[in-house]
Structures are given as structure tokens and as C-alpha cells.
């Protein structure tokens, strides 16, 4: 029993991991980008599971908005269970996986390659089966991840995908220069006591709704998974738009909601969602800028100086800390989620 | 207060809606298919919200498996909030919406068309803004839907998408000939008493997990939405593979789970998920064939004679009935979900 020491240490390691990526991964990313540029794909399909699927969701928004590519999340079972052999010429197929070991991702990447896609694996293990199966590989350089609940590999995947997209846009990664320092601030602020106080709000909660739009949608999906894994509550994440289309019926006075409100178009698009939540009297906790947090009366304030498209790298940190603290407050060990192992083998 | 009369009537209307589609929509579907065939798209993007998003998810599997097309679900906010202008040549952009009125779908369809996509609207209103915005339109012919919780428009959307894919595969729709009769059986079997008995299992439940793989994944996503809308419980749907990647930690002895186990590769791929749920002692209720239900000891048995790819049309019916019955058992009116209106306007 490690009582969250592993998860806590890996959360704290994230600024260092991102700084390392920014300072050392550039040449590898540029090299992969040049192969992709030469292949001139017009569509990108991401394949991933669990935490890495949320990094893929972030990558999908980046590809759509910054690259102007049509993008989708692949359903691995189409190929692995149903034997689909799609025409994937002009498709970049990006498989994202911490371990690089999940059989369905290895198989679907192999199939995608046979079907004409240019395949790229993004993993934390350069000798993994997935890294070998794909033509291209990017190592997220997070170092061994020991906690079952992934934290540093998630943000390392986000940064790797961001760097790849930046390279494809002829960027020099300087846009992310402020991220490691800003993330270091997120590791210590809110304070431990403030995180524990926030966790105490949910110590008896059986369910919680998380919502955001745009880039930050990936944040709430990942935060919900952390809360499910470590604290076993029914955490549901919705795009703000989807929340209005039906699930809002679940929300009434006092329903716990965490809204991530970024400082850009995604945050602006949350306005009607926040208004509706206020009308319903939901118990809304905001992760975002000072104004958004002040309006809700409670939340975690994020440091400024980072663009909206990079905000998900920061937003998740206090929510990882919240998940860890909530598990401890509930008498659970966040390092030993019930019935999970670090590598999940799905076919 | 209608006490579920609207929803009940529309659930019961579904076999007639599907029979009408099969007998009358063929020429319109063939005509749309011939335009699509001439354009020869290689990628399909679906855009939808809420219930229609689950029809889109079904369409995505169909496109991948039967057409061999790369497919994705569009994030409308990329275009509407972030102003993305992706290169959509060779892309078929399919917007699915009961009302055809949601501004974000109209705007993203207009943008997709400007960006080079061939656009198709699938709606229940041929004079809607969405039907007008797209180059092609298919009317799902469900007739006016009055209940806020969509039922007949969902299965009509599924059938319309299936017919389109069948036409693109040079089919004559005969593969779905058995569906209306089989669906009529699902309207009366399980009996009202059996549905009420199943609902009584969940009358005090605050949360429930739903899971399936492959084509049936759309079923559990839609069933979860019905349960959220009508009965306000935290219903979470997961692909069986994703459930194993983390959320399974939430499941312990007695946790209510509904597993949809179809009779094909998707159902087979559920095997490790069912084994894990059994090990954990979860309270598993199965919707599927006789053997799968017998193994769990409880569930709703679906009629045979319909292929796995059409099974989602049947599977959802007892789950719609369950959602309606559960709302009533909880003293709620399934026709008047708290705080929802029939048409949701998201930007």
C-alpha cells in the first residue's frame, strides 16, 4: 500500500517531463513531421483506449483546427472483430498508447498499414509491439510510469501530439515555452489544503458531471476517468453541447458539476451551459481563469500566459490532484485501483 | 401530464415506421446513393448531437465495416467555435438530426459544403434548415415525434443509414426484410409485467453501467441517454474494451450493469468483459440471445433471424421500454423530462 505516493510523485514530475520533451524531442518530431508532410495525408484517424483515447481526442481537435484535416477516432473493433479492410490511402493513422502493448491497437495498426495508411505510434515504450508495428514512432519520454492511474504519460502524449502538429504547421515549439513553468505552478497551486478541501466536497458523492467544450473536452473526459479509477464514483463527462441535448435532465439543485472553462472560444461556448447550470442550482466547481472561478464562487484558478490550445496540459493537473486526494479522503489507495492492472489487454 | 403515453405510443409505432421506410424510401435512398457513388468519397464524417449522435455512431461502424471507408464523428465546435476550415474534398459529411434545427449542425454542414465535402442531411423534417443546407437529404419518415425522449426517430435514423449503406453496396434492402416483424415482437415481448419487473430492480438505483461492443455500442450509448433523460440516474455507457481500461474499477459486487450481447463478432468480443463482470459479482442484466441471457440468469431475450448489423434496431426497443417504465416506477413522467425541450439549440 503506497497511499497515493506513486500517483502524487508522477503528477509532480509532469513539468520536468514536458520540459524534457520540449528540449529534446524536437528533432525526432521534425523527422516524423517531414515523412508525414511528404506523404501529404488528408485525413487522420486516431486509435487509442482509456487515458490515451483522451489524448487522441485532443489530437483530433488540433488536427481539425490547426491542420485543417478531417479527423476521426477509429473504432478498433471494426478491424479486429469485424475484419474491416478500409481503403486508407491518404490517411495518417495515429495509435496512442502508454504501454504500446494492447493487442487490439497493435492489430488495428498493422491492418491500417496494410490498408494503405501511413501509421504512427505514440507511446512511452519505444521497444513496444505498437512502436514496432507502425512505420513511425514518437516516444513521449515520460520515463517509467508506476501508478496504475496514468498522469504524466497523459500530458506527455498531449505535448507530443501538440509538437507534431506544431511541426506540421512549421512552428518551432516556442508557443509551448511557457507550459512547463505554468504546469509547475499547477502542481503547487491550489495548495494541498485547497485540494483536500475541494475533495471533501465530494467525499460522499456517488456521482458527478464534468463538462467543457472544444480542446478542454479532452480534459473532462480524462478527469472523469481519473475519478472513476481512483475514487469509484460515477463520473460522467459531456461536451457542453451534448449535455444540453438530454443529460441535463439528470442535473438538479445541488448536483455536483465540474466545469472546465478555458479562456478562448471553447470557454465562450460554455456560456449557455453555465447559465443553464446556474438556473438549475447545480453545485458548479470551475477550473479555469480567475473570472470564471469567481463567477462560480469556487474552483481552481489556472495560471495565465498559455494559449487555449495548450490549456488542457494545465487543466488536468489540479483534477489529477483532486482525484488522488478524493481517493485518500474516501479511505482508498489511489495507487491500487480495484481490479485494474497497468497494462490492459483487449482484443 | 401524459404519464408516458406519448413515449409509449411512439415506441409502439416503430415497427410501422420501419416498414414504411423499407417500402417507400428505397427510390430516394437509391437516388442519394447514386450521387454519392458518382462523387466517390473515401472518408465519411458524421455530425450529430444527442440521440442522433448514437445513430451516427452506428453509421460509422456500418461505413467502416461494410463500405471500407475511413469514418469519424465530427466535432462541430472545431468549425463553429474555432473557425476551422478543413480540406474536405473526397469527404461525405453526414449530419443527422431529428429536427434539423440545431444551429451548430446547420452551420457546420454549410461550412463542410464550402470546404468541399458532399453533404447529406438525415432528418425527420424535409423543410428544416439542415435539410436545406445540405446538398442531399434523406427524410427518415417517422412522422411527428411528440415525446421529448426520442425513440422512433432513432430507429428510423438507424434504418435510413442502413438502407443508404446497403444501396452503396448494391443491396436491395431485402436483408432488413425481417426487421419490422422482429421489432413488433420486441414491442410486446418482454411483456409489460416483465419490463416493470426489470424496472423495479433499478427503482432505487442512482447509477448504472451499460456496455457492449461493435454495432451494439450505439445501443448502450442511446439506452444510457434514455435512462438519463427519463429517470435521471447516472447511466454510463462504455465499449466493453474501454470499460476494461479503467472504469471497471467502479464496478463491484452488486453494481448494476446492463450488457448488450449480440450474436456475432461484437457479442463474442464481449466475452472477456462478461467474465470480468462475473468475477466482480456485478449485477449483470443481459439484452441479447437466449444463451447470453440464460448465462446471466436475467435479461431481455431478443428475437432471432436478424443479422448482427441490424440487431441495434431491435436491442434498443426493450431498453426504451425499460427507461419509460423506470421513470414511471420512480414517480416521474417520461414524457416531461426535467428541463428539456424537444429541440435543443446549441451553437
Amino acid at each position: 500500500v503506497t497511499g497515493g505516493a506513486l500517483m502524487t510523485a508522477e503528477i509532480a514530475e509532469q513539468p520536468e517531463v514536458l520540459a524534457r520533451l520540449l528540449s529534446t524531442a524536437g528533432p525526432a518530431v521534425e523527422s516524423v513531421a517531414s515523412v508525414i508532410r511528404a506523404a501529404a495525408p488528408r485525413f487522420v484517424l486516431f486509435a487509442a483506449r482509456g487515458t490515451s483515447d483522451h489524448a487522441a481526442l485532443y489530437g483530433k481537435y488540433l488536427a481539425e483546427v490547426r491542420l485543417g484535416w478531417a479527423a476521426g477516432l477509429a473504432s478498433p473493433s471494426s478491424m479486429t472483430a469485424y475484419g474491416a479492410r478500409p481503403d486508407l490511402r491518404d490517411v495518417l493513422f495515429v495509435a496512442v498508447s502508454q504501454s504500446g502493448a494492447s493487442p487490439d491497437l497493435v492489430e488495428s495498426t498493422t491492418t491500417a498499414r496494410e490498408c494503405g495508411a501511413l501509421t504512427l505510434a505514440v507511446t512511452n515504450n519505444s521497444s513496444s509491439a505498437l512502436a514496432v508495428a507502425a512505420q513511425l514512432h514518437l516516444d513521449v519520454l515520460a520515463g517509467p510510469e508506476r501508478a496504475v492511474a496514468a498522469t504524466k504519460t497523459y500530458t506527455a502524449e498531449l505535448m507530443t501530439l501538440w509538437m507534431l502538429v506544431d511541426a506540421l504547421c512549421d512552428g518551432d515549439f516556442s508557443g509551448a515555452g511557457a507550459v512547463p513553468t505554468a504546469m509547475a505552478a499547477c502542481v503547487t497551486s491550489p495548495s494541498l489544503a485547497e485540494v483536500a478541501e475541494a475533495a471533501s466536497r465530494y467525499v460522499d458523492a456517488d456521482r458527478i458531471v464534468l463538462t467543457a467544450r472544444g480542446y478542454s473536452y479532452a480534459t473532462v473526459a480524462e478527469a472523469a476517468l481519473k475519478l472513476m479509477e481512483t475514487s469509484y464514483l460515477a463520473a460522467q463527462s459531456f461536451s457542453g453541447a451534448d449535455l444540453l441535448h438530454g443529460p441535463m435532465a439528470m442535473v438538479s439543485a445541488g448536483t455536483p458539476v465540474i466545469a472546465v472553462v478555458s479562456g478562448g472560444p471553447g470557454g465562450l461556448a460554455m456560456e449557455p451551459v453555465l447559465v443553464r447550470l446556474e438556473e438549475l442550482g447545480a453545485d458548479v466547481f470551475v477550473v479555469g481563469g480567475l473570472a470564471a472561478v469567481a463567477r462560480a464562487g469556487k474552483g481552481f484558478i489556472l495560471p495565465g500566459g498559455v494559449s487555449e490550445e495548450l490549456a488542457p496540459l494545465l487543466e488536468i493537473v489540479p483534477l489529477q490532484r483532486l482525484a488522488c486526494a478524493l481517493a485518500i479522503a474516501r479511505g482508498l489507495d489511489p495507487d491500487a485501483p480495484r481490479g485494474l492492472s497497468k497494462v490492459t489487454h483487449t482484443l
Side-chain angles (χ1 to χ4, degrees), chain A:
Chain A
V1 178
T2 44
L6 294 179
M7 188 176 175
T8 301
E10 288 171 356
I11 289 170
E13 225 182 298
Q14 292 177 102
E16 176 193 327
V17 170
L18 297 196
R20 180 162 63 229
L21 266 172
L22 281 168
S23 64
T24 68
V29 170
E30 295 279 11
S31 161
V32 164
S34 72
V35 176
I36 293 172
R37 208 181 277 113
R42 293 169 47 211
F43 317 115
V44 56
L45 280 181
F46 292 92
R49 296 283 183 198
T51 287
S52 297
D53 204 31
H54 308 142
L57 183 60
Y58 173 73
K60 177 176 183 286
Y61 278 90
L62 277 179
E64 289 171 342
V65 175
R66 285 200 62 190
L67 298 174
W69 292 358
L73 302 181
S75 306
S77 71
S78 293
M79 294 195 268
T80 60
Y82 294 103
R85 291 294 176 271
D87 175 3
L88 297 181
R89 288 168 300 143
D90 299 328
V91 171
L92 174 65
F93 186 93
V94 182
V96 188
S97 167
Q98 180 275 131
S99 69
S102 193
D104 59 346
L105 287 186
V106 176
E107 182 183 340
S108 56
T109 300
T110 302
T111 302
R113 185 174 176 171
E114 289 165 4
C115 291
L118 177 62
T119 53
L120 165 65
V122 176
T123 81
N124 194 35
N125 181 350
S126 60
S127 58
S128 62
L130 186 61
V132 172
Q135 288 131 299
L136 302 170
H137 177 250
L138 284 172
D139 190 330
V140 305
L141 300 173
E145 188 170 61
R146 294 170 62 207
V148 173
T151 55
K152 65 177 181 172
T153 55
Y154 174 67
T155 47
E157 286 168 357
L158 295 188
M159 181 57 94
T160 303
L161 291 170
W162 182 86
M163 289 177 74
L164 177 62
V165 168
D166 197 54
L168 288 166
C169 293
D170 299 317
D172 61 359
F173 315 130
S174 60
V179 170
T181 304
M183 188 184 257
C186 295
V187 171
T188 55
S189 171
S191 68
L192 267 179
E194 287 166 328
V195 173
E197 189 201 336
S200 72
R201 309 173 64 84
Y202 307 120
V203 73
D204 296 318
D206 198 37
R207 49 198 279 187
I208 189 167
V209 168
L210 297 98
T211 184
R213 280 198 78 177
Y215 287 113
S216 302
Y217 180 32
T219 302
V220 292
E222 173 58 8
L225 180 55
K226 287 306 100 161
L227 290 166
M228 288 190 273
E229 285 178 323
T230 63
S231 304
Y232 314 156
L233 76 171
Q236 300 184 275
S237 61
F238 301 97
S239 119
D242 283 318
L243 182 59
L244 293 173
H245 281 259
M248 195 63 98
M250 291 186 308
V251 175
S252 59
T255 301
V257 176
I258 295 176
V260 178
V261 184
S262 55
L268 282 175
M270 282 294 288
E271 183 59 26
V273 183
L274 295 172
V275 167
R276 190 78 191 101
L277 289 169
E278 285 163 9
E279 287 168 0
L280 293 168
D283 180 18
V284 181
F285 188 94
V286 164
V287 177
L290 181 60
V293 171
R295 171 177 167 177
K298 53 192 175 288
F300 293 143
I301 299 164
L302 297 173
V306 167
S307 65
E308 187 191 17
E309 74 179 38
L310 285 159
L313 286 139
L314 306 184
E315 293 159 353
I316 192 63
V317 178
L319 293 168
Q320 293 166 338
R321 297 176 65 205
L322 178 68
C324 190
L326 181 55
I328 292 167
R330 291 174 157 225
L332 303 168
D333 180 356
D335 289 335
R338 194 165 62 184
L340 298 184
S341 55
K342 183 67 187 162
V343 179
T344 307
H345 292 271
T346 46
L347 301 172

